[in-house]
Amino acid sequence: MASEQLADASQKVLKQITSLYESGLNAGGDGKAAAGGIGLLSIANHPALGLGKEIRKPRKKMSVMIIGNHSAGKSSFINWYIGERVCKTGVAIETRGFIFCTSGRRRETLTGDATVRYFDHLADFAAFEGLLPNLFTEVSTSLERSFACVDFVDSPGLVDGDMKYPFPVEDSICWLADHVDLILVFLDPIGQATCRRVLGLVERLNQGSHVEKIHYFMSKADEVESESDRQRVLIQITQNLATRIRNSHAFNLPTFYLPHDDDLPCTIPNAIEDVCKTIDKTIDQTVQKNLRQLRADCDRVISRISEVEVTDAANREANTARTLRGLGLSVATLGALAALATLLAIRAAGALCEPGAPGGACASDAAQRLLLRDAWVEPAFAPLVAAALAAALLLAAAAKVVWRHAPVLSKREQRRLEEFREVARAVARANEALYEAYFSTIASREER
Ligand SMILES: Nc1nc2c(ncn2[C@@H]2O[C@H](COP(=O)(O)OP(=O)(O)OP(=O)(O)O)[C@@H](O)[C@H]2O)c(=O)[nH]1
Ligand SMILES: [Mg+2]
């Protein structure tokens, strides 16, 4: 299968994955992503689930950063790959900043601000002082090779000496290294392949978690005159890098050069197809990584919904227990208030039967009975009233605390969660279908 066909299949899968995050499935439920539905992202961002920070949409394309010494042919390689001269090339220091090269509907150049808006993962990248004016995007309509699903990042050439970069060049390359899928290091045989800056940067990148994504190539190999010269330069570069890279035993430095228009024979081996294969392999890996991420995110959403439902059921149960306890305490409060009222009534009856009390109320039976009780209430009246009042107040306060209910989901919210679960399950099924379709594409490619 040609690179373009692979790119076409990969691009479709990558786009569908993004669409499943953004807008879910179409109403027909035929597994095709469509605009207007509920996407995995809006489900993750729903306040009841709170997964907004954990679930992120993968990018629609994979990205390759090319780094290396000045004049190693980084920009020329991108132009050759795309089949269009989007980056400036030449012997002078041509690339002073970062140039993102992406495919789009029309040819255009975006400046720093627009670049940061175009690639939303770059928001923090612009924080490097002096970087924004040196950041550009070249949009090309080319569909050559796998460009439809690859974004290239052309970086400033590295040189030693008095060269002053307008921004912290090593730091910004290291920042980007975290955000790209593949790093190609181009070192040319006649330039400053082993300059201090290149070696320092390679060492830094090897200290991070990027080792697996870095691939080294000796570029412009046609500039060496003979095979023995090529071997000599290879040994020289390898020796210089060996102490700075992890996995140095597996270190490989294929040589390549861009095809010439002239017919001059060149006996130097050209591994330019290996560079393209490395890119295609990373596209494969990116598609598979994104499919795995989608599956994991569906599972995460489904298990979060279950967690929320379990918490809701527990809250309901706790609320019932709280209601019963609250009711008990309220009844006890009423009891304490009744005791207080009784004490006050007894005291009032005693006052009515005082000698000389008006109306002869003491004559009534009820007052007489109360008066009898007053005989033993009277000595402890004040502490008893205080105790009854304190008990009523404490019980009322306790009832108020106990009766405080944990929030529970409304019927509407419960239905919404059910709907979310169905969407996540359908997206997981669509993901399986994408997986199968993609692998059968790969299998048919390998059979040829
Ligand atoms: N012989 C030969 N020359 C090449 C090859 N690739 C690029 N060149 C030439 O090398 C010079 C530098 O190429 P660029 O693509 O500008 O190199 P660069 O790495 O982008 O340079 P900076 O941006 O300055 O770091 C240009 O004159 C290219 O024509 C190649 O494979 N073989
Ligand atoms: Mg350049």
Side-chain angles (χ1 to χ4, degrees):
M1 184 189 280
S3 202
E4 287 87 344
Q5 280 168 288
L6 168 75
D8 195 42
S10 308
Q11 192 195 16
K12 273 191 196 137
V13 178
L14 289 170
K15 263 190 175 168
Q16 272 178 317
I17 294 175
T18 315
S19 177
L20 288 168
Y21 274 89
E22 285 169 348
S23 44
L25 295 149
N26 64 359
D30 59 3
K32 289 204 181 108
I38 316 173
L40 214 54
L41 273 189
S42 54
I43 294 180
N45 281 318
H46 193 277
L49 301 184
L51 291 173
K53 286 211 175 89
E54 286 172 49
I55 293 187
R56 296 200 179 266
K57 171 182 72 172
R59 270 181 283 144
K60 272 188 209 146
K61 296 183 184 179
M62 76 87 148
S63 46
V64 185
M65 174 164 64
I66 305 185
I67 61 171
N69 64 282
H70 153 61
S71 204
K74 302 179 288 298
S75 307
S76 302
F77 173 81
I78 295 173
N79 291 346
W80 170 81
Y81 190 96
I82 297 176
E84 188 178 349
R85 212 181 123 75
V86 291
C87 301
K88 259 173 95 177
T89 60
V91 282
I93 297 182
E94 296 294 352
T95 316
R96 289 183 177 271
F98 288 94
I99 301 170
F100 285 71
C101 305
T102 189
S103 64
R105 290 214 183 93
R106 60 193 165 100
R107 175 80 184 96
E108 59 185 323
T109 300
L110 310 178
T111 54
D113 282 324
T115 297
V116 172
R117 261 179 274 130
Y118 193 88
F119 299 97
D120 47 13
H121 66 285
L122 291 185
D124 294 338
F125 188 48
F128 285 105
E129 210 182 322
L131 186 82
L132 216 50
N134 294 289
L135 184 60
F136 297 93
T137 296
E138 297 293 346
V139 185
S140 160
T141 54
S142 163
L143 292 173
E144 280 288 304
R145 301 187 172 84
S146 303
F147 187 52
C149 48
V150 179
D151 286 335
F152 282 103
V153 187
D154 191 8
S155 65
L158 299 170
V159 274
D160 285 348
D162 298 336
M163 171 72 181
K164 286 257 178 302
Y165 294 88
F167 53 86
V169 68
E170 284 100 339
D171 290 349
S172 44
I173 288 178
C174 287
W175 188 96
L176 274 176
D178 282 335
H179 295 81
V180 296
D181 303 291
L182 176 66
I183 302 169
L184 300 178
V185 184
F186 285 1
L187 305 160
D188 80 301
I190 49 160
Q192 296 186 35
T194 53
C195 74
R196 192 181 43 78
R197 253 202 174 97
V198 169
L199 296 179
L201 184 65
V202 165
E203 191 167 4
R204 259 182 85 172
L205 290 174
N206 272 275
Q207 283 159 1
S209 54
H210 317 298
V211 184
E212 301 299 321
K213 52 178 154 173
I214 310 178
H215 292 254
Y216 304 84
F217 290 93
M218 188 170 96
S219 53
K220 292 169 67 168
D222 56 330
E223 296 226 329
V224 288
E225 302 224 318
S226 63
E227 178 56 19
S228 59
D229 282 351
R230 185 181 77 100
Q231 292 293 344
R232 188 178 44 76
V233 180
L234 271 181
I235 292 170
Q236 202 187 342
I237 297 179
T238 310
Q239 278 176 347
N240 272 287
L241 288 182
T243 52
R244 291 165 166 93
I245 53 178
R246 298 218 306 261
N247 293 348
S248 59
H249 58 282
F251 181 73
N252 192 11
L253 191 65
T255 54
F256 80 91
Y257 54 90
L258 299 183
H260 303 181
D261 286 339
D262 55 47
D263 293 332
L264 289 178
C266 181
T267 52
I268 302 293
N270 191 357
I272 193 146
E273 278 312 314
D274 287 357
V275 187
C276 298
K277 276 188 195 149
T278 307
I279 294 174
D280 284 349
K281 209 171 143 198
T282 312
I283 294 174
D284 261 0
Q285 288 166 349
T286 305
V287 171
Q288 291 175 42
K289 187 183 83 189
N290 290 3
L291 283 168
R292 277 198 304 275
Q293 183 186 328
L294 177 60
R295 174 74 231 197
D297 286 344
C298 288
D299 290 347
R300 182 80 196 89
V301 164
I302 293 169
S303 76
R304 179 79 186 120
I305 292 172
S306 301
E307 275 167 29
V308 170
E309 285 174 339
V310 167
T311 310
D312 188 55
N315 281 351
R316 279 171 200 281
E317 212 170 291
N319 284 352
T320 312
R322 279 163 184 265
T323 305
L324 290 175
R325 259 179 270 141
L327 270 174
L329 285 166
S330 301
V331 169
T333 309
L334 287 176
L337 286 174
L340 184 64
T342 311
L343 284 171
L344 293 174
I346 290 169
R347 166 46 64 91
L352 283 176
C353 294
E354 295 263 308
C362 197
S364 83
D365 278 356
Q368 282 289 349
R369 278 198 300 279
L370 286 173
L371 192 58
L372 276 176
R373 287 183 195 163
D374 191 32
W376 53 266
V377 162
E378 179 57 31
F381 180 74
L384 280 172
V385 167
L389 192 61
L393 288 174
L394 280 175
L395 287 165
K400 201 170 171 215
V401 171
V402 166
W403 221 322
R404 205 171 287 156
H405 280 176
V408 291
L409 298 171
S410 66
K411 283 265 174 275
R412 199 161 157 256
E413 284 167 332
Q414 284 174 335
R415 278 198 302 274
R416 191 96 178 115
L417 285 189
E418 197 48 55
E419 195 186 338
F420 286 167
R421 187 184 351 250
E422 282 313 310
V423 172
R425 281 182 181 151
V427 169
R429 282 196 297 274
N431 181 63
E432 289 304 318
L434 281 177
Y435 236 124
E436 274 167 32
Y438 186 69
F439 278 109
S440 64
T441 312
I442 292 182
S444 66
R445 179 187 54 177
E446 273 158 14
E447 274 163 22
R448 278 160 217 218

